[in-house]
């Protein structure tokens, strides 16, 4: 068998996702087909390229060597196809390719993007692996990606990718059975879950190490097992496991979502995009983070200083404005965050910078939340 670009794409997908199952889904293949293809590639090369571990598939030393040569080839082929199509006028109708690690805000974001670019072909790619999405942005397979980064487990941000931070430090809540004694309280302490079995999804970058770090810091050593968050609800409802969850998560039958005391588990939310050409020529050779943040120390630049990034040509002939995409994301995220009673109470109590992007809550809204005391309302 002769190696082809499609084989190199497969190797890159396995390395980026860390899983044959997820790589097959990304490539539009079945897992058995991808497994067979990988075996044939390894037979052709003459060595094993990936080792199967509990947490997924990891490149062997030979695999890393092959990937170092494969990635530039795949990136150049992607660029070649895009440029040829552009010259042939096949992209005149524009594509807007967005990715996300999964959030209830994605629906509202898509709605706003389609209103902004009504003639563009807008697509969404969901992947639990933030690192895989960042690689897709760097390889020009996605225009932007909305991802989260677990505190204490930094993501591998490729060169040429910049970040616009939406929330610098967002708390992660916990999902537990409604019958759990701790579910009777509005806020749960980690110590109350010391005897429980925790479950994390190994496909979510940084989730396992981040949870273990927090548990160890609290002097706890509960059993941590691996599973798929998509199928975890039944296990949580039965009391078999407790799991970390997003504060915007919707409660399901038999499942309670509660904040953790002191917010020990946190993530950073940001939008990744390819850097503007001028930003790629810094002293270090990599793109800096864009100064578009909701934190107290940094504010968004004005329109004159923030030139839009030309990711692809839109149907109207103009460039895609990543700052505008970020603004649509912020609006969509606030909408879903404010719809969650527990999370909006947290936002108001902690004077979250996310509130600064929106109209401040009214006295009536604070009254409903039970937060309209002297400390919250001037």
């Amino acid at each position: 068998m002769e190696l082809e670009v499609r084989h190199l794409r497969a190797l890159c997908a396995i390395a980026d996702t860390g899983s044959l199952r997820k790589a097959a889904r990304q490539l539009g293949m079945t897992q058995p087909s991808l497994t067979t293809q990988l075996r044939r590639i390894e037979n052709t090369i003459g060595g094993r390229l990936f080792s199967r571990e509990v947490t997924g598939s990891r490149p062997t030393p030979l695999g890393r060597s092959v990937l170092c040569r494969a990635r530039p080839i795949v990136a150049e082929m992607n660029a070649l196809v895009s440029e040829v199509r552009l010259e042939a006028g096949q992209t005149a109708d524009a594509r807007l390719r967005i990715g996300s690690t999964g959030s209830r805000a994605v629906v509202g974001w898509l709605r706003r993007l389609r209103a902004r670019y009504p003639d563009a072909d807008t697509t969404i790619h969901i992947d639990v692996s933030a690192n895989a999405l960042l690689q897709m942005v760097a390889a020009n397979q996605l225009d932007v990606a909305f991802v989260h980064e677990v505190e204490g487990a930094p993501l591998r941000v490729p060169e040429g990718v910049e970040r616009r931070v939406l929330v610098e430090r967002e708390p992660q809540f916990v999902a537990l059975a409604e019958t759990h004694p701790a579910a009777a309280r509005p806020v749960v302490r980690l110590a109350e879950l010391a005897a429980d079995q925790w479950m994390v999804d190994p496909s979510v970058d940084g989730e396992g190490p981040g949870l273990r770090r927090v548990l160890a810091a609290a002097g706890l050593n509960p059993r941590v097992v691996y599973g798929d968050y998509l199928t975890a609800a039944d296990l949580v409802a039965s009391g078999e496991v407790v799991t970390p969850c997003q504060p915007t998560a919707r409660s399901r039958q038999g499942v309670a979502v509660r904040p953790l005391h002191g917010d020990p588990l946190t993530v950073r939310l940001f939008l990744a995009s390819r850097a503007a050409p001028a930003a790629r020529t810094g002293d270090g050779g990599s793109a800096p983070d864009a100064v578009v943040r909701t934190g107290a120390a940094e504010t968004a630049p004005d329109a004159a200083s923030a030139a839009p990034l030309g990711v692809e040509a839109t149907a109207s002939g103009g460039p895609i404005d990543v700052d505008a995409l970020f603004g649509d994301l912020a609006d969509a995220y606030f909408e879903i965050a404010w719809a969650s009673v527990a999370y909006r109470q947290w936002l108001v109590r902690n004077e979250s910078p996310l509130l600064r992007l929106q109209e401040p809550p009214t006295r009536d809204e604070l009254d409903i939340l039970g937060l309209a005391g002297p400390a919250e309302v001037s």
Side-chain angles (χ1 to χ4, degrees):
M1 183 186 76
E2 291 187 359
L3 287 182
E4 302 174 8
V5 174
R6 63 188 178 93
H7 300 138
L8 302 184
R9 288 188 197 278
L11 297 180
C12 292
I14 296 170
D16 292 342
T17 62
S19 162
L20 282 168
R21 175 177 57 84
K22 290 192 295 179
R25 185 170 55 192
Q26 178 178 305
L27 295 167
M29 304 171 59
T30 64
Q31 183 174 335
S33 296
L34 181 57
T35 301
T36 300
Q37 186 177 90
L38 175 59
R39 190 178 303 118
R40 295 181 65 191
I41 295 171
E42 289 177 329
N43 289 339
T44 299
I45 291 176
R48 198 173 180 195
L49 301 179
F50 292 91
S51 60
R52 299 294 295 272
E53 302 173 3
V54 175
T55 56
S57 299
R58 296 291 178 266
T60 62
L62 176 61
R64 287 193 292 270
S65 177
V66 172
L67 286 164
C68 284
R69 294 177 177 272
R71 290 192 189 282
I73 295 173
V74 172
E76 284 297 322
M77 182 58 69
N78 290 339
L80 172 64
V81 172
S82 296
E83 290 172 8
V84 170
R85 286 178 175 172
L86 185 60
E87 290 180 8
Q90 294 180 20
T91 57
D93 289 338
R95 293 171 300 159
L96 176 57
R97 304 159 301 172
I98 67 175
S100 175
T101 46
S103 168
R104 290 181 61 204
V106 166
V107 174
W109 190 27
L110 277 173
R111 184 176 69 249
R112 288 168 170 84
L113 294 181
R114 285 175 176 146
R116 183 178 296 278
Y117 299 113
D119 297 323
D121 179 14
T122 303
T123 60
I124 176 72
H125 178 88
I126 302 295
D127 196 315
V128 294
S129 172
N131 280 317
L133 292 171
L134 293 176
Q135 289 290 343
M136 293 180 72
V137 171
N140 196 23
Q141 296 170 343
L142 290 175
D143 298 315
V144 294
F146 175 42
V147 301
H148 73 274
E149 180 177 54
V150 178
E151 185 177 17
L155 297 172
R156 301 185 298 274
V157 181
E159 182 177 349
V161 171
E162 68 178 14
R163 297 170 285 190
R164 285 166 169 75
V165 177
L166 177 65
V167 182
E168 186 65 44
R169 196 169 185 270
E170 177 179 82
Q172 296 299 278
F173 289 1
V174 64
L176 65 165
E178 287 183 342
T179 55
H180 195 292
R185 287 176 282 283
V187 179
V188 177
R189 295 178 180 270
L190 275 177
E192 297 178 89
L193 307 174
D196 289 281
Q197 182 171 253
W198 288 78
M199 194 196 82
V200 294
D201 190 334
S203 303
V204 181
D205 297 316
E207 193 96 323
L211 176 62
R212 291 184 184 277
R213 178 183 61 82
V214 167
L215 292 173
L220 304 176
N221 188 29
R223 186 181 181 195
V224 178
V225 298
Y226 295 105
D228 186 341
Y229 284 152
L230 296 177
T231 58
D234 290 339
L235 291 174
V236 173
S238 68
E240 287 293 321
V241 299
V242 297
T243 68
C245 67
Q246 298 176 8
T248 55
R250 182 187 291 110
S251 293
R252 301 185 182 185
Q253 184 174 3
V255 177
V257 174
R258 298 287 183 269
L260 288 167
H261 180 75
D263 305 322
L265 283 170
T266 63
V267 301
R268 178 166 63 162
L269 305 178
F270 65 86
L271 183 70
S273 63
R274 287 183 302 286
R280 296 192 185 115
T281 58
D283 293 339
S286 61
D289 285 2
V291 187
V292 182
R293 302 176 184 270
T294 59
E298 299 177 84
T299 57
D302 56 31
S305 62
L309 304 183
V311 180
E312 291 279 353
T314 64
S316 59
I320 289 174
D321 186 344
V322 180
D323 291 334
L325 268 61
F326 178 83
D328 288 338
L329 172 61
D331 289 342
Y333 197 80
F334 179 83
E335 180 179 74
I336 203 68
W338 196 251
S340 168
V341 175
Y343 192 26
R344 70 187 177 200
Q345 287 177 335
W346 186 94
L347 291 171
V348 174
R349 285 199 175 99
N350 289 273
E351 298 181 351
S352 170
L354 189 63
L355 295 174
R356 298 174 195 162
L357 299 176
Q358 314 294 331
E359 290 295 324
T362 65
R363 178 59 184 260
D364 288 342
E365 289 172 328
L366 293 173
D367 279 333
I368 293 171
L369 294 173
L371 298 173
E376 289 78 25
V377 178
S378 58

